[in-house]
Amino acid sequence: MGRPRPPRTSRPPQPPRTPRSPRASRPPGTISPSRRSVLGAGLTAGLASAGLAACGSGSGSGDRESIVVAIVSNPQMQDAISLIDHFTEQHPDIDVRFVSLPENEARAKITASVASGGGEFDVVMISNYETPLWAPNGWLTDLEPYIAKTDGYQPDDFVPTIKDALTVDGSMYSVPFYGESAFLVYREDLFEEAGLEMPTHPSWDDLRSFASTLHDPEGGMSGIALRGLAGWGENLAPMSTVINTFGGCWFDMEWAPSLDSPEVHDAVSMYVDTLRSYGQPGAATSGFGECLTQFSQGNAAMWFDASSMVSGVENPSSSTVVGKTSYALGPTLETPYAGWLYAWSLAIPETSQKKDAAWEFIAWMTHPDYFQLVGEELGWEALPPGSRLSTYEIPEYAELSENYAEPTLDSMENATQENSMTQEVPYDGLQNVVIPEFQDLGTRVGQQFSAAIAGQKSVDEALEQSQGFAESVARTYGWEG
C-alpha cells in the first residue's frame, strides 16, 4: 500500500478577495446550447426501469386521485410523511403514496424513471444538479404557471442562489424543500476544555491541528468526522470542495481532465490522511447519516458537511450534544469560501398525468405555511433549513438558530465559483460537475477515493485510475488528449 505524501503547508485564512469577473458563459440557471445536445444521450444510456414498492395513505378509489411521490429517506422527508394527514384533510380527493429510498438508490431510480419516460412518479425529489440538465430535454414540467396561481407561495422568499440554481430560461422547474451549503460544526465545550479557539474562517491546517489535539480513540472520541462513503453525492460532495479550495478542478477550460494535477493530489492526500489519522471508525463507509450519528452521539469533536445537519445536531430528542456546539464557515486554503450549493427540491415529470394534484402536494410541502406546521407539530429545530429566507425570521426558529443562522446564510450567499474556486472552468457546480456523465464518473471516482480512505490503494493509484475515467468523459466534450 502506498502512503499519501504529506499535504502542503497552507497559508493562514485570507480575507475575502475581490470576486473575479463573472464568466462570460451564461446567466444563472442556464446551460450552454452546445452542451444541451448531449444531455439526453448521456443520461439515458444504460438506464433501466426498476420496480418500486410504495408506502403511503392507501390506494386511490372512487373520485380520489392517487399520486406517487419519490423522495429521499432523509429526516426532513420522513417528517413530511408523518404530517401527510394534514395534507389529506385539506385535499380529501388526493391520495399520496410515497416511495422513500436511501440517497444513492433514490438518485439512480428517479433518474432511470424520468430519463426513460417510465411515468412511475408524479412528483420526484431531485436537486440543482438534475434540474438544469433535465428541463431543456422536456423531462420536467414548467412550474411557473402553478406558482403564479398559488396564494401566499412567495417565490421571491427562496434563498436567491437556490432559486437561481433551479431556474432554467427564466422558469423554475423544481422548487426547494430544503437547501444547503456547507460549514463546520464543533464541540465548543471540548474546545474550551482544551484551550482551543475556532476561527470564523478556519483553514484545513487549523482543523488538522485541532483534530490531532482532540482525537482520543480509546475514549471514543474522533478528532473529526468526514464522509468517506463512495458516491457522487456522498464523499465527493465534501472532497470536491476541498479540491476547489486547494486550487484544483475536474476539467480546465479546454475540458482537459485535471485530476492528476498537484493541487488535486494535495487536496485528496490531505483529506485521506486526515480521515485515516483522526477520523471516525469505518470512515470509508460513512455517509451523511453515519457522520450525523457520530457527531450527535458525542463521538466526534468536529464535522464538516452540509449545513442541513443542524436539523439533526440540534434535535434534543435524538442528539446528545445540544447546547454544546458552535459553528464556523467551511475550511479553506486558497479561496475565501469553500462551501457547496445544493437543494433537495420537488419537480413534476412531464410524463405525469396528474400534474394539478402533484402541484397541490408540492405547494403544500414547500409553502411558508408548512414551516409553521412543522414547528408546531414536530418542534422548531425540525424546520427544513436553507430554502426560504423567512424561515430565519420566525421568532422561535430565530432564537433556536442564533449560533448557526449567520454561517448558514453566509455560506449559501457565497456559494459561487468566483468565491470558492481559483480558476475558471467550463462547467457549473461546486461539489459536483453539472454534466449528465457526472453521475457515473462521480460514482467511479468516489469509489477510488473511498478505497484510498480504507487503505486498499494509495492516493496516487486512486488518482491515476480517476484521471482515466475523466479522460473518457472529456472526449465527449471535444478534448482530444
Side-chain angles (χ1 to χ4, degrees), residues 24 105 125 144 168 182 191 202 207 273 306 308 326 340 346 412 417 441 478:
E105 187 177 353
M125 180 154 274
E144 288 296 325
V168 179
F191 271 65
L207 262 62
D273 184 67
S308 59
S326 194
W340 65 61
L346 297 172
M412 297 188 75
Q417 290 184 344
L441 172 62

Side-chain angles (χ1 to χ4, degrees), residues 144 147-148 150 152-160 163 172 175-176 368 387-388:
E144 288 296 325
I147 292 171
T150 302
Y153 194 69
Q154 302 175 33
D156 291 338
D157 182 40
F158 291 133
V159 172
K163 186 174 187 288
M172 294 191 76
V175 288
S387 61
R388 289 185 173 274

Side-chain angles (χ1 to χ4, degrees), residues 340-400:
W340 65 61
L341 187 69
Y342 199 78
W344 279 120
S345 59
L346 297 172
I348 303 174
E350 187 63 21
T351 53
S352 172
Q353 301 299 308
K354 305 167 185 176
K355 293 179 182 178
D356 288 347
W359 172 254
E360 290 296 331
F361 171 77
I362 290 177
W364 171 77
M365 195 168 159
T366 60
H367 196 281
D369 291 348
Y370 178 83
F371 294 79
Q372 290 290 333
L373 174 64
V374 172
E376 293 167 1
E377 294 288 327
L378 304 178
W380 297 103
E381 70 282 346
L383 262 61
S387 61
R388 289 185 173 274
L389 296 171
S390 60
T391 303
Y392 300 89
E393 298 172 357
I394 298 172
E396 296 88 345
Y397 191 71
E399 180 180 358
L400 182 71

Side-chain angles (χ1 to χ4, degrees), residues 178-479:
Y178 73 80
E180 63 190 32
S181 184
F183 58 25
L184 181 79
V185 62
Y186 63 97
R187 286 283 299 278
E188 189 172 26
D189 58 332
L190 298 182
F191 271 65
E192 290 178 357
E193 291 173 8
L196 303 174
E197 185 174 351
M198 177 67 72
T200 302
H201 287 258
S203 70
W204 273 106
D205 273 358
D206 290 329
L207 262 62
R208 285 174 58 84
S209 176
F210 297 150
S212 175
T213 299
L214 298 173
H215 190 59
D216 180 17
E218 293 184 0
M221 179 64 65
S222 301
I224 191 168
L226 295 167
R227 296 194 211 185
L229 179 66
W232 70 272
E234 282 286 0
N235 61 353
L236 282 191
M239 293 185 79
S240 289
T241 69
V242 177
I243 288 171
N244 292 339
T245 195
F246 269 65
C249 63
W250 283 77
F251 304 94
D252 68 17
M253 286 299 291
E254 303 302 319
W255 284 101
S258 301
L259 295 180
D260 60 353
S261 70
E263 292 83 3
V264 174
H265 189 284
D266 287 349
V268 176
S269 294
M270 184 281 298
Y271 192 96
V272 169
D273 184 67
T274 298
L275 260 181
R276 289 180 60 78
S277 300
Y278 315 118
Q280 72 276 14
T285 56
S286 295
F288 177 88
E290 290 78 14
C291 289
L292 173 60
T293 297
Q294 285 290 320
F295 188 85
S296 64
Q297 297 309 303
N299 298 320
M302 297 180 290
W303 178 28
F304 169 58
D305 212 300
S307 56
S308 59
M309 67 169 69
V310 297
S311 297
V313 170
E314 302 296 338
N315 187 342
S317 67
S318 59
S319 174
T320 66
V321 298
V322 176
K324 302 177 182 179
T325 63
S326 194
Y327 298 82
L329 293 172
T332 59
L333 184 69
E334 300 288 351
T335 58
Y337 289 88
W340 65 61
L341 187 69
Y342 199 78
W344 279 120
S345 59
L346 297 172
I348 303 174
E350 187 63 21
T351 53
S352 172
Q353 301 299 308
K354 305 167 185 176
K355 293 179 182 178
D356 288 347
W359 172 254
E360 290 296 331
F361 171 77
I362 290 177
W364 171 77
M365 195 168 159
T366 60
H367 196 281
D369 291 348
Y370 178 83
F371 294 79
Q372 290 290 333
L373 174 64
V374 172
E376 293 167 1
E377 294 288 327
L378 304 178
W380 297 103
E381 70 282 346
L383 262 61
S387 61
R388 289 185 173 274
L389 296 171
S390 60
T391 303
Y392 300 89
E393 298 172 357
I394 298 172
E396 296 88 345
Y397 191 71
E399 180 180 358
L400 182 71
S401 65
E402 184 177 4
N403 66 336
Y404 58 81
E406 183 175 350
T408 296
L409 295 175
D410 194 7
S411 294
M412 297 188 75
E413 179 184 355
N414 289 283
T416 65
Q417 290 184 344
E418 287 72 28
N419 286 333
S420 302
M421 301 183 73
T422 65
Q423 55 187 298
E424 292 186 84
V425 292
Y427 54 84
D428 293 324
L430 291 173
Q431 79 282 14
N432 53 40
V433 180
V434 184
I435 57 174
E437 297 85 356
F438 190 71
Q439 290 201 38
D440 180 64
L441 172 62
T443 296
R444 291 171 179 264
V445 173
Q447 290 168 347
Q448 296 298 310
F449 292 173
S450 184
I453 292 167
Q456 297 169 353
K457 60 175 53 182
S458 70
V459 169
D460 286 339
E461 292 168 337
L463 287 175
E464 181 180 3
Q465 187 69 60
S466 298
Q467 177 73 3
F469 297 148
E471 287 175 355
S472 297
V473 170
R475 293 187 180 95
T476 303
Y477 292 88
W479 178 74

